[in-house]
Amino acid sequence: MSPALIAALPFLGALLPGILIRTGRSNTAFAAGLTSGLALLGLLLHLPAVMRGEVVQARFEWLPAIGLNANFMIDGLGMLFATLILGIGILIIIYARFYLTKADPAGQFYTYLLLFQGAMVGIVLSDNILLLLVFWELTSLSSFLLIGFWKHLPEGRQGARMALTVTGLGGLSMIAGMLILGNIAGSYDISVILTQKAAIQASPLYLPALILILGGAFTKSAQFPFHFWLPHAMAAPTPVSAYLHSATMVKAGLFLMARLWPVLSGTPEWFYIVATTGLITMLIGAKIALFKDDLKALLAFSTVSHLGLITFLLGLGTKTAAVAAVFHIINHATFKAALFMSAGIVDHETHTRDLKRLGGLRHLMPVTATIATIAALSMAGIPLFNGFLSKELMLEEAAHTVWAGAAWLVPLVAVIAALFSAAYSFRFIVHGFFGPVRDDYPHKPHDPNFGMWLSPAFLVVLVVLIGLMPMTFAGPVVQMAADAVVGGGLHMHPIKHWHGLTPALVMSMIATAGGIVLLLSFAPLKRMWEAAPRPEAKAIFDWIVARCACVASWITSGLHNGSMARYLMMFTLASIAVGVWAWSGGTQGPATREMLPITPVALVGWVMLITATGCVVAFHHNRFLALVLISIVGLIVSICFIYLSAPDLALTQISVEIVTAVLMLLALNFLPKTTKIESSRLKQGFDAVLSIAGGLGIGALIYALMVRDFAFETMSNYHLANSYKLGGGDNVVNVILVDFRGYDTYGEVTVLGIAALVIFALTEALLNGTASKKLIAWRPDMLRGGDKHPLMLLVATRVLLPIALLVGVFIFLRGHNLPGGGFIAGLVVAIALVMQYMASGFAWTQARQKVYYHVLIACGVLAAGITGAGAWFNGMPFLTSDFGYFKLPGLEKFELATAAGFDLGVFLGVVGSVLLALGGLSRLARRAAVLDEERGAHIVAEKPEAREVAAVSSVAYPEGTPLPRRWLKARGEEQ
Amino acid sequence: MEALVASAVGIMTAAGIYLILRLRTFPVVLGMAMLSYAVNIFLFATGRLAVNLPPILGHAGAETAGYTDPIPQALVLTAIVISFGMTAVVVMLSLGAFIEAGDDRIDLGPEEKK
């Protein structure tokens, strides 16, 4: 299976839970497990080749211009990590099936888990650091979803935020570092970078790149001082903690250090930064872990400590240390995942994770106790378990490490850390499972069912097997991965239990004995711990976040004060300023174009346009008048189009003008009919100056443009020359719309449809929300016409309808060769239908139309899309059109073009959108403007809770309100 | 002719800007309609002006001396339709705000800002 497919499988599988969750949690878990299993199978098929030292690759060009390519590779290191991620992933999926309760949204859980899994597999299989960065950020995002999975818990949300902030910031730093690294190496492919050790370490940018990359690795792997996010991420469900903090997310930082080990390690900078950080983290993590009462917090700090251990080993920069690091990565993944799952079982069964309230569980939960004890002994580094072997290797390395001339420092710190590590492991066992059975557990515990302990049991078996026979069960894998880490040519010494009485063994014995002593004197130590002051990372973090939020909101509220008039003013001012700046910076060439003569007709039109525009401004307080005046402007604009050789535009403009006028009238039905003068004289004056400046600027700009010829040859010449040849149409504008630039048009029809759906949604919100009561109680503020549906209009529109529809069809059909086409035909048909609504009323018309306008919009977009996709079957790109001439008996030769199908889509989309938009407004008006009696019936039919409102609203209007005569007649008040 | 078109575009822009700076929704909607006209003619005029030269090729018979630039026309055609969609959404929003809030101011009141 291609490495790319292995990385893609979990992402594809993430779609399944959403579909399958309706069939039950088991099916969902099964599908998720199957996806991971398939990916694992595909991966393991490459195992023999990778074991032989080959590298499996898959390369796809994505954005070669910037060096971002989807290059994947499986080498020893990637193989090890991907196996851990997918293998433990399957165990977690099984465990989570039984851990999550019915109330938890399991579908979401598995989707997030698979997304995370895919991102992790992507990291470890990437052969391009930019691609790796993409997956790196995806792990931050998907782990945010997982950590915050229990959205109702504040700790969950805060923990998720903290994890995202810390790892996200680290990711940013890493992006910078990776770009520097790629720049030095001359390629972003990891396989190339790994060959450039000399160049990278000699570069003056080596240290900045190193620090920036380590910023990413340290935050992800929770190294001191960034370790604080990890314990807070424990608010997640236990399966998440077990997955993220044993095998995957926190190991990503280690993976990165191991991946870049051949080129970055071996320098003093690397040693002092990485090894020291690792050592400090190992010590601090172990110390804090001992005093944590929460099982998961204890394990979290222990994870921090063990990550520090591995970082320390990688930081040493020797090949034997790299072997130890790889071995401990495997061991830690096995025992820590088992421990997390055991802690989850304890929590699940007793409803507490507090060590002070636990104890004696080995009698009640023997299976869980056995699993947890074995895993914890391994963590403590007790012989015969795998943790012992890798800890021994670590101590051996530490014993030979000299730090700044001090030979005693590193061994001492390592022993103390190991001592604490042994102590908290013993505490986990003794305080949790030993001692007398208590009678005050929050919930009577017993061993869970098979499905829940299967996964940890499997891991514990591995712990024992690797512990007993390391070279059989782990040796080849360690050899394979460590060989990849050090860049090949590794001859690994066999991992053995007995090396003689080495310093490491002595240190190990001191650590174990000291751990027992610490546990025996735990109570007084704990009191000292409680009494000692210590910095609380969360408080500091919260303080910093609060300060940042404070500054941000200060800036935001300064800029965004809720005054839209001010934003628009700023925008206009800025536009004018930019225009002035641009104008003053350039030079203008001579006017080269001959002017068209001013004809009397044009002059008359101009005078009418200017007068109407001036009147709109002068009389805009009278809204109805302003509406009439602006329609005049629109009309002249249409005439201007037809005068200036744009018949298609003229047709479109005049039809849009009509529907816009209807739309505005419907809105004005509700809105106040006058605008109060609220601006001061000063503001009016300022606005006038601003608008005149803007108008002068735009006018001057277009004049300057029009008196000059095109600076370059326009691409219109191509369209004019090829419209008939390639598009089969004489109307170049239409051919451009449906053929040359069909993609644009497709987008525009979709946008129009979305706009109509937005209007529909707004209408629904108004009709069903609190506004509904206001609408019902609304009463008209103008005198209504006496006859709602005048007979003449009614008859005329009904007679006109077939003719109007025929005109629409005609305009549609001729559009390819003569002015017309889908847009205009759609508008014409929409107007014909709107006229029916106006003349016969909304209810009458609505009852007679059988197709929902939503469906019409959908059909339109679909028709356009299908026509476009049809080109694929011809082996051409999307939206390539074709046409031909046909002859039918009895008819002249005629043309058929696929563009007509596309234009049909445009037509349907326009009709649906216009009518859906106007229909929305009409429904509002209808809710508000029915007779009292009708209103009663209407309300009963629509919404039960509106009945009480209806009772209020049917109270008589105050005296003197001008009411329609028909209303009065219906009430019997008319004399 | 160019001077007429340029001055008309300028004056419509000025009217549009003045209207969008008002404090109630309806004038702002009118102003945006005004700006749409101005912008559409502006775009159209970037193809330069021509009389009696529509971009309809002459295969049907009538020969012409040339054609005006069709691309700005195609752009403006969709712009006109889209601006209807935009106007409709804005009108609907202002109507909803008026029905919910009881007034048609475009600015938040002092008590709503916090």
Side-chain angles (χ1 to χ4, degrees), chain A residues 648 715-724 729-741 815-819, chain B residues 54-58 67-71 73-74:
Chain A
D648 284 280
M715 58 182 185
S716 303
N717 296 339
Y718 170 84
H719 290 154
L720 287 166
N722 291 302
S723 169
Y724 187 75
D730 275 340
N731 182 357
V732 187
V733 175
N734 185 265
V735 174
I736 290 175
L737 282 176
V738 300
D739 196 334
F740 290 132
R741 307 212 43 93
H816 215 42
N817 292 315
L818 289 166
Chain B
I56 311 287
L57 303 180
Y67 307 104
T68 185
D69 194 342
I71 291 180
Q73 293 198 15

mmCIF file of all heavy atoms in Angstrom, chain A residues 648 715-724 729-741 815-819, chain B residues 54-58 67-71 73-74:
data_model
loop_
_atom_site.group_PDB
_atom_site.id
_atom_site.type_symbol
_atom_site.label_atom_id
_atom_site.label_comp_id
_atom_site.label_asym_id
_atom_site.label_seq_id
_atom_site.Cartn_x
_atom_site.Cartn_y
_atom_site.Cartn_z
ATOM 1 N N ASP A 648 -27.408 43.702 -24.037
ATOM 2 C CA ASP A 648 -27.608 42.705 -22.980
ATOM 3 C C ASP A 648 -27.690 43.381 -21.620
ATOM 4 O O ASP A 648 -28.531 43.043 -20.787
ATOM 5 C CB ASP A 648 -26.440 41.716 -22.974
ATOM 6 C CG ASP A 648 -26.532 40.730 -24.104
ATOM 7 O OD1 ASP A 648 -27.304 39.774 -23.957
ATOM 8 O OD2 ASP A 648 -25.876 40.942 -25.141
ATOM 9 N N MET A 715 -7.787 41.312 -24.245
ATOM 10 C CA MET A 715 -8.071 39.927 -24.591
ATOM 11 C C MET A 715 -9.451 39.808 -25.241
ATOM 12 O O MET A 715 -9.827 38.739 -25.687
ATOM 13 C CB MET A 715 -7.977 39.037 -23.359
ATOM 14 C CG MET A 715 -8.887 39.399 -22.239
ATOM 15 S SD MET A 715 -8.570 38.254 -20.889
ATOM 16 C CE MET A 715 -9.821 38.758 -19.741
ATOM 17 N N SER A 716 -10.158 40.942 -25.319
ATOM 18 C CA SER A 716 -11.439 40.911 -26.025
ATOM 19 C C SER A 716 -11.269 40.503 -27.472
ATOM 20 O O SER A 716 -12.140 39.865 -28.053
ATOM 21 C CB SER A 716 -12.097 42.283 -25.971
ATOM 22 O OG SER A 716 -12.249 42.680 -24.659
ATOM 23 N N ASN A 717 -10.117 40.871 -28.034
ATOM 24 C CA ASN A 717 -9.894 40.515 -29.441
ATOM 25 C C ASN A 717 -9.944 39.006 -29.629
ATOM 26 O O ASN A 717 -10.487 38.498 -30.593
ATOM 27 C CB ASN A 717 -8.548 41.058 -29.906
ATOM 28 C CG ASN A 717 -8.542 42.571 -29.878
ATOM 29 O OD1 ASN A 717 -9.618 43.185 -29.892
ATOM 30 N ND2 ASN A 717 -7.365 43.163 -29.805
ATOM 31 N N TYR A 718 -9.365 38.304 -28.663
ATOM 32 C CA TYR A 718 -9.425 36.844 -28.723
ATOM 33 C C TYR A 718 -10.869 36.372 -28.663
ATOM 34 O O TYR A 718 -11.296 35.516 -29.439
ATOM 35 C CB TYR A 718 -8.620 36.258 -27.560
ATOM 36 C CG TYR A 718 -8.799 34.774 -27.379
ATOM 37 C CD1 TYR A 718 -8.041 33.882 -28.134
ATOM 38 C CD2 TYR A 718 -9.738 34.268 -26.487
ATOM 39 C CE1 TYR A 718 -8.206 32.531 -27.987
ATOM 40 C CE2 TYR A 718 -9.914 32.910 -26.341
ATOM 41 C CZ TYR A 718 -9.147 32.036 -27.091
ATOM 42 O OH TYR A 718 -9.330 30.697 -26.951
ATOM 43 N N HIS A 719 -11.634 36.962 -27.723
ATOM 44 C CA HIS A 719 -13.030 36.534 -27.574
ATOM 45 C C HIS A 719 -13.844 36.840 -28.815
ATOM 46 O O HIS A 719 -14.663 36.039 -29.250
ATOM 47 C CB HIS A 719 -13.654 37.208 -26.352
ATOM 48 C CG HIS A 719 -13.105 36.683 -25.068
ATOM 49 N ND1 HIS A 719 -13.077 37.417 -23.915
ATOM 50 C CD2 HIS A 719 -12.543 35.500 -24.761
ATOM 51 C CE1 HIS A 719 -12.523 36.699 -22.959
ATOM 52 N NE2 HIS A 719 -12.190 35.533 -23.445
ATOM 53 N N LEU A 720 -13.611 38.038 -29.387
ATOM 54 C CA LEU A 720 -14.360 38.402 -30.599
ATOM 55 C C LEU A 720 -14.005 37.461 -31.741
ATOM 56 O O LEU A 720 -14.864 37.028 -32.504
ATOM 57 C CB LEU A 720 -14.047 39.846 -30.985
ATOM 58 C CG LEU A 720 -14.685 40.908 -30.077
ATOM 59 C CD1 LEU A 720 -14.058 42.260 -30.318
ATOM 60 C CD2 LEU A 720 -16.191 40.959 -30.328
ATOM 61 N N ALA A 721 -12.727 37.102 -31.831
ATOM 62 C CA ALA A 721 -12.295 36.268 -32.949
ATOM 63 C C ALA A 721 -12.774 34.836 -32.792
ATOM 64 O O ALA A 721 -13.024 34.147 -33.777
ATOM 65 C CB ALA A 721 -10.773 36.306 -33.058
ATOM 66 N N ASN A 722 -12.877 34.357 -31.550
ATOM 67 C CA ASN A 722 -13.153 32.937 -31.345
ATOM 68 C C ASN A 722 -14.547 32.614 -30.845
ATOM 69 O O ASN A 722 -14.869 31.450 -30.635
ATOM 70 C CB ASN A 722 -12.130 32.353 -30.366
ATOM 71 C CG ASN A 722 -10.760 32.301 -30.999
ATOM 72 O OD1 ASN A 722 -10.568 31.677 -32.038
ATOM 73 N ND2 ASN A 722 -9.816 33.001 -30.400
ATOM 74 N N SER A 723 -15.345 33.658 -30.608
ATOM 75 C CA SER A 723 -16.665 33.414 -30.056
ATOM 76 C C SER A 723 -17.458 32.453 -30.939
ATOM 77 O O SER A 723 -18.063 31.495 -30.458
ATOM 78 C CB SER A 723 -17.405 34.739 -29.923
ATOM 79 O OG SER A 723 -18.752 34.510 -29.633
ATOM 80 N N TYR A 724 -17.408 32.701 -32.235
ATOM 81 C CA TYR A 724 -18.179 31.844 -33.131
ATOM 82 C C TYR A 724 -17.450 30.533 -33.400
ATOM 83 O O TYR A 724 -18.019 29.459 -33.381
ATOM 84 C CB TYR A 724 -18.448 32.585 -34.444
ATOM 85 C CG TYR A 724 -19.382 31.840 -35.358
ATOM 86 C CD1 TYR A 724 -20.747 31.793 -35.087
ATOM 87 C CD2 TYR A 724 -18.897 31.163 -36.477
ATOM 88 C CE1 TYR A 724 -21.606 31.086 -35.891
ATOM 89 C CE2 TYR A 724 -19.760 30.449 -37.287
ATOM 90 C CZ TYR A 724 -21.110 30.417 -36.996
ATOM 91 O OH TYR A 724 -21.967 29.722 -37.797
ATOM 92 N N GLY A 729 -21.354 30.851 -30.921
ATOM 93 C CA GLY A 729 -22.389 31.860 -30.722
ATOM 94 C C GLY A 729 -21.963 33.199 -31.271
ATOM 95 O O GLY A 729 -20.779 33.532 -31.292
ATOM 96 N N ASP A 730 -22.950 33.997 -31.687
ATOM 97 C CA ASP A 730 -22.657 35.322 -32.218
ATOM 98 C C ASP A 730 -22.672 36.392 -31.152
ATOM 99 O O ASP A 730 -22.031 37.422 -31.273
ATOM 100 C CB ASP A 730 -23.687 35.688 -33.304
ATOM 101 C CG ASP A 730 -23.257 35.133 -34.663
ATOM 102 O OD1 ASP A 730 -22.051 34.848 -34.798
ATOM 103 O OD2 ASP A 730 -24.114 34.988 -35.536
ATOM 104 N N ASN A 731 -23.453 36.164 -30.093
ATOM 105 C CA ASN A 731 -23.517 37.143 -29.008
ATOM 106 C C ASN A 731 -22.317 36.924 -28.089
ATOM 107 O O ASN A 731 -22.300 36.034 -27.240
ATOM 108 C CB ASN A 731 -24.832 36.975 -28.243
ATOM 109 C CG ASN A 731 -24.959 38.008 -27.145
ATOM 110 O OD1 ASN A 731 -24.058 38.813 -26.921
ATOM 111 N ND2 ASN A 731 -26.084 37.975 -26.450
ATOM 112 N N VAL A 732 -21.300 37.758 -28.286
ATOM 113 C CA VAL A 732 -20.029 37.505 -27.605
ATOM 114 C C VAL A 732 -20.193 37.581 -26.089
ATOM 115 O O VAL A 732 -19.588 36.799 -25.360
ATOM 116 C CB VAL A 732 -18.957 38.505 -28.098
ATOM 117 C CG1 VAL A 732 -17.607 38.141 -27.520
ATOM 118 C CG2 VAL A 732 -18.891 38.496 -29.614
ATOM 119 N N VAL A 733 -21.026 38.517 -25.626
ATOM 120 C CA VAL A 733 -21.215 38.654 -24.176
ATOM 121 C C VAL A 733 -21.766 37.357 -23.600
ATOM 122 O O VAL A 733 -21.279 36.838 -22.587
ATOM 123 C CB VAL A 733 -22.167 39.832 -23.874
ATOM 124 C CG1 VAL A 733 -22.468 39.895 -22.387
ATOM 125 C CG2 VAL A 733 -21.558 41.128 -24.343
ATOM 126 N N ASN A 734 -22.758 36.797 -24.281
ATOM 127 C CA ASN A 734 -23.347 35.548 -23.791
ATOM 128 C C ASN A 734 -22.350 34.408 -23.860
ATOM 129 O O ASN A 734 -22.264 33.582 -22.945
ATOM 130 C CB ASN A 734 -24.602 35.227 -24.599
ATOM 131 C CG ASN A 734 -25.314 34.007 -24.047
ATOM 132 O OD1 ASN A 734 -25.102 32.910 -24.521
ATOM 133 N ND2 ASN A 734 -26.117 34.208 -23.011
ATOM 134 N N VAL A 735 -21.567 34.360 -24.934
ATOM 135 C CA VAL A 735 -20.588 33.277 -25.057
ATOM 136 C C VAL A 735 -19.538 33.394 -23.953
ATOM 137 O O VAL A 735 -19.119 32.403 -23.368
ATOM 138 C CB VAL A 735 -19.938 33.286 -26.459
ATOM 139 C CG1 VAL A 735 -18.818 32.266 -26.528
ATOM 140 C CG2 VAL A 735 -20.983 32.981 -27.515
ATOM 141 N N ILE A 736 -19.140 34.622 -23.652
ATOM 142 C CA ILE A 736 -18.182 34.804 -22.544
ATOM 143 C C ILE A 736 -18.796 34.276 -21.252
ATOM 144 O O ILE A 736 -18.152 33.552 -20.485
ATOM 145 C CB ILE A 736 -17.802 36.294 -22.390
ATOM 146 C CG1 ILE A 736 -16.952 36.750 -23.565
ATOM 147 C CG2 ILE A 736 -17.036 36.514 -21.083
ATOM 148 C CD1 ILE A 736 -16.643 38.229 -23.552
ATOM 149 N N LEU A 737 -20.057 34.617 -21.036
ATOM 150 C CA LEU A 737 -20.696 34.240 -19.765
ATOM 151 C C LEU A 737 -20.842 32.735 -19.617
ATOM 152 O O LEU A 737 -20.566 32.180 -18.567
ATOM 153 C CB LEU A 737 -22.085 34.877 -19.667
ATOM 154 C CG LEU A 737 -22.121 36.341 -19.286
ATOM 155 C CD1 LEU A 737 -23.543 36.846 -19.324
ATOM 156 C CD2 LEU A 737 -21.533 36.532 -17.905
ATOM 157 N N VAL A 738 -21.310 32.066 -20.680
ATOM 158 C CA VAL A 738 -21.629 30.649 -20.521
ATOM 159 C C VAL A 738 -20.492 29.753 -20.974
ATOM 160 O O VAL A 738 -20.537 28.551 -20.761
ATOM 161 C CB VAL A 738 -22.916 30.254 -21.280
ATOM 162 C CG1 VAL A 738 -24.079 31.046 -20.759
ATOM 163 C CG2 VAL A 738 -22.753 30.445 -22.772
ATOM 164 N N ASP A 739 -19.464 30.327 -21.611
ATOM 165 C CA ASP A 739 -18.438 29.464 -22.170
ATOM 166 C C ASP A 739 -17.040 29.877 -21.721
ATOM 167 O O ASP A 739 -16.439 29.235 -20.862
ATOM 168 C CB ASP A 739 -18.564 29.489 -23.699
ATOM 169 C CG ASP A 739 -17.811 28.348 -24.344
ATOM 170 O OD1 ASP A 739 -16.849 27.881 -23.729
ATOM 171 O OD2 ASP A 739 -18.182 27.926 -25.449
ATOM 172 N N PHE A 740 -16.554 31.021 -22.244
ATOM 173 C CA PHE A 740 -15.172 31.401 -21.954
ATOM 174 C C PHE A 740 -14.950 31.572 -20.455
ATOM 175 O O PHE A 740 -13.936 31.154 -19.919
ATOM 176 C CB PHE A 740 -14.803 32.700 -22.681
ATOM 177 C CG PHE A 740 -14.684 32.544 -24.168
ATOM 178 C CD1 PHE A 740 -15.291 33.429 -25.029
ATOM 179 C CD2 PHE A 740 -13.950 31.494 -24.696
ATOM 180 C CE1 PHE A 740 -15.172 33.288 -26.398
ATOM 181 C CE2 PHE A 740 -13.827 31.343 -26.066
ATOM 182 C CZ PHE A 740 -14.446 32.237 -26.924
ATOM 183 N N ARG A 741 -15.877 32.233 -19.807
ATOM 184 C CA ARG A 741 -15.711 32.462 -18.379
ATOM 185 C C ARG A 741 -16.838 31.786 -17.602
ATOM 186 O O ARG A 741 -17.383 32.325 -16.644
ATOM 187 C CB ARG A 741 -15.651 33.954 -18.057
ATOM 188 C CG ARG A 741 -14.597 34.666 -18.880
ATOM 189 C CD ARG A 741 -13.928 35.818 -18.213
ATOM 190 N NE ARG A 741 -13.554 35.599 -16.836
ATOM 191 C CZ ARG A 741 -12.366 35.152 -16.443
ATOM 192 N NH1 ARG A 741 -11.452 34.819 -17.335
ATOM 193 N NH2 ARG A 741 -12.096 35.026 -15.183
ATOM 194 N N GLY A 815 -30.537 33.734 -26.985
ATOM 195 C CA GLY A 815 -29.455 34.370 -26.253
ATOM 196 C C GLY A 815 -28.067 34.093 -26.782
ATOM 197 O O GLY A 815 -27.192 34.934 -26.660
ATOM 198 N N HIS A 816 -27.872 32.932 -27.386
ATOM 199 C CA HIS A 816 -26.511 32.608 -27.799
ATOM 200 C C HIS A 816 -26.062 33.470 -28.975
ATOM 201 O O HIS A 816 -24.877 33.721 -29.154
ATOM 202 C CB HIS A 816 -26.443 31.122 -28.170
ATOM 203 C CG HIS A 816 -25.140 30.488 -27.809
ATOM 204 N ND1 HIS A 816 -24.489 30.732 -26.617
ATOM 205 C CD2 HIS A 816 -24.353 29.616 -28.479
ATOM 206 C CE1 HIS A 816 -23.365 30.048 -26.580
ATOM 207 N NE2 HIS A 816 -23.245 29.357 -27.696
ATOM 208 N N ASN A 817 -27.029 33.922 -29.773
ATOM 209 C CA ASN A 817 -26.659 34.665 -30.975
ATOM 210 C C ASN A 817 -27.106 36.114 -30.963
ATOM 211 O O ASN A 817 -26.559 36.935 -31.684
ATOM 212 C CB ASN A 817 -27.231 33.973 -32.216
ATOM 213 C CG ASN A 817 -26.550 32.637 -32.450
ATOM 214 O OD1 ASN A 817 -25.339 32.541 -32.358
ATOM 215 N ND2 ASN A 817 -27.330 31.600 -32.699
ATOM 216 N N LEU A 818 -28.127 36.435 -30.166
ATOM 217 C CA LEU A 818 -28.662 37.799 -30.124
ATOM 218 C C LEU A 818 -28.818 38.183 -28.658
ATOM 219 O O LEU A 818 -28.745 37.319 -27.780
ATOM 220 C CB LEU A 818 -30.020 37.851 -30.835
ATOM 221 C CG LEU A 818 -29.959 37.703 -32.359
ATOM 222 C CD1 LEU A 818 -31.325 37.418 -32.930
ATOM 223 C CD2 LEU A 818 -29.349 38.951 -32.979
ATOM 224 N N PRO A 819 -28.999 39.464 -28.375
ATOM 225 C CA PRO A 819 -29.141 39.852 -26.960
ATOM 226 C C PRO A 819 -30.180 38.995 -26.248
ATOM 227 O O PRO A 819 -31.267 38.758 -26.761
ATOM 228 C CB PRO A 819 -29.579 41.313 -27.054
ATOM 229 C CG PRO A 819 -28.988 41.785 -28.319
ATOM 230 C CD PRO A 819 -29.008 40.611 -29.258
ATOM 231 N N PRO B 54 -22.573 47.027 -31.083
ATOM 232 C CA PRO B 54 -22.780 45.977 -30.080
ATOM 233 C C PRO B 54 -21.954 44.740 -30.419
ATOM 234 O O PRO B 54 -21.719 44.472 -31.602
ATOM 235 C CB PRO B 54 -24.277 45.676 -30.162
ATOM 236 C CG PRO B 54 -24.676 46.122 -31.501
ATOM 237 C CD PRO B 54 -23.801 47.284 -31.841
ATOM 238 N N PRO B 55 -21.498 44.010 -29.410
ATOM 239 C CA PRO B 55 -20.649 42.836 -29.678
ATOM 240 C C PRO B 55 -21.458 41.631 -30.125
ATOM 241 O O PRO B 55 -21.429 40.559 -29.524
ATOM 242 C CB PRO B 55 -19.974 42.586 -28.331
ATOM 243 C CG PRO B 55 -20.915 43.126 -27.330
ATOM 244 C CD PRO B 55 -21.656 44.244 -27.976
ATOM 245 N N ILE B 56 -22.252 41.830 -31.193
ATOM 246 C CA ILE B 56 -23.020 40.727 -31.787
ATOM 247 C C ILE B 56 -22.401 40.490 -33.157
ATOM 248 O O ILE B 56 -22.431 41.380 -34.007
ATOM 249 C CB ILE B 56 -24.505 41.124 -31.975
ATOM 250 C CG1 ILE B 56 -25.089 41.729 -30.698
ATOM 251 C CG2 ILE B 56 -25.313 39.955 -32.478
ATOM 252 C CD1 ILE B 56 -25.338 40.762 -29.601
ATOM 253 N N LEU B 57 -21.809 39.325 -33.329
ATOM 254 C CA LEU B 57 -21.094 39.079 -34.588
ATOM 255 C C LEU B 57 -22.060 39.032 -35.763
ATOM 256 O O LEU B 57 -23.238 38.715 -35.616
ATOM 257 C CB LEU B 57 -20.319 37.755 -34.503
ATOM 258 C CG LEU B 57 -19.326 37.681 -33.357
ATOM 259 C CD1 LEU B 57 -18.606 36.339 -33.363
ATOM 260 C CD2 LEU B 57 -18.318 38.804 -33.446
ATOM 261 N N GLY B 58 -21.543 39.347 -36.921
ATOM 262 C CA GLY B 58 -22.402 39.596 -38.071
ATOM 263 C C GLY B 58 -22.743 38.404 -38.937
ATOM 264 O O GLY B 58 -22.988 38.564 -40.113
ATOM 265 N N TYR B 67 -16.627 46.108 -33.262
ATOM 266 C CA TYR B 67 -17.393 45.766 -32.071
ATOM 267 C C TYR B 67 -16.797 46.463 -30.867
ATOM 268 O O TYR B 67 -15.591 46.690 -30.793
ATOM 269 C CB TYR B 67 -17.355 44.252 -31.842
ATOM 270 C CG TYR B 67 -17.767 43.463 -33.053
ATOM 271 C CD1 TYR B 67 -16.819 42.817 -33.840
ATOM 272 C CD2 TYR B 67 -19.103 43.402 -33.428
ATOM 273 C CE1 TYR B 67 -17.186 42.110 -34.952
ATOM 274 C CE2 TYR B 67 -19.482 42.693 -34.556
ATOM 275 C CZ TYR B 67 -18.522 42.053 -35.307
ATOM 276 O OH TYR B 67 -18.898 41.368 -36.425
ATOM 277 N N THR B 68 -17.664 46.754 -29.910
ATOM 278 C CA THR B 68 -17.158 47.302 -28.658
ATOM 279 C C THR B 68 -16.625 46.164 -27.801
ATOM 280 O O THR B 68 -16.841 44.995 -28.094
ATOM 281 C CB THR B 68 -18.265 48.092 -27.942
ATOM 282 O OG1 THR B 68 -17.687 48.698 -26.783
ATOM 283 C CG2 THR B 68 -19.373 47.170 -27.486
ATOM 284 N N ASP B 69 -15.931 46.525 -26.739
ATOM 285 C CA ASP B 69 -15.272 45.534 -25.890
ATOM 286 C C ASP B 69 -16.320 44.705 -25.124
ATOM 287 O O ASP B 69 -17.072 45.252 -24.332
ATOM 288 C CB ASP B 69 -14.374 46.286 -24.901
ATOM 289 C CG ASP B 69 -13.406 45.361 -24.209
ATOM 290 O OD1 ASP B 69 -13.652 44.141 -24.226
ATOM 291 O OD2 ASP B 69 -12.424 45.863 -23.644
ATOM 292 N N PRO B 70 -16.392 43.384 -25.352
ATOM 293 C CA PRO B 70 -17.454 42.604 -24.698
ATOM 294 C C PRO B 70 -17.148 42.213 -23.246
ATOM 295 O O PRO B 70 -18.063 41.945 -22.483
ATOM 296 C CB PRO B 70 -17.547 41.350 -25.566
ATOM 297 C CG PRO B 70 -16.191 41.202 -26.157
ATOM 298 C CD PRO B 70 -15.613 42.570 -26.288
ATOM 299 N N ILE B 71 -15.862 42.185 -22.853
ATOM 300 C CA ILE B 71 -15.552 41.632 -21.528
ATOM 301 C C ILE B 71 -16.154 42.451 -20.388
ATOM 302 O O ILE B 71 -16.818 41.904 -19.509
ATOM 303 C CB ILE B 71 -14.026 41.456 -21.349
ATOM 304 C CG1 ILE B 71 -13.556 40.337 -22.270
ATOM 305 C CG2 ILE B 71 -13.690 41.110 -19.915
ATOM 306 C CD1 ILE B 71 -12.097 40.077 -22.193
ATOM 307 N N GLN B 73 -18.697 44.158 -20.449
ATOM 308 C CA GLN B 73 -20.154 43.941 -20.487
ATOM 309 C C GLN B 73 -20.515 42.647 -19.768
ATOM 310 O O GLN B 73 -21.466 42.603 -18.993
ATOM 311 C CB GLN B 73 -20.638 43.879 -21.931
ATOM 312 C CG GLN B 73 -20.498 45.197 -22.642
ATOM 313 C CD GLN B 73 -21.357 45.261 -23.883
ATOM 314 O OE1 GLN B 73 -22.256 44.438 -24.058
ATOM 315 N NE2 GLN B 73 -21.092 46.235 -24.725
ATOM 316 N N ALA B 74 -19.739 41.587 -20.042
ATOM 317 C CA ALA B 74 -20.034 40.313 -19.382
ATOM 318 C C ALA B 74 -19.869 40.463 -17.876
ATOM 319 O O ALA B 74 -20.689 39.970 -17.087
ATOM 320 C CB ALA B 74 -19.113 39.221 -19.920
#
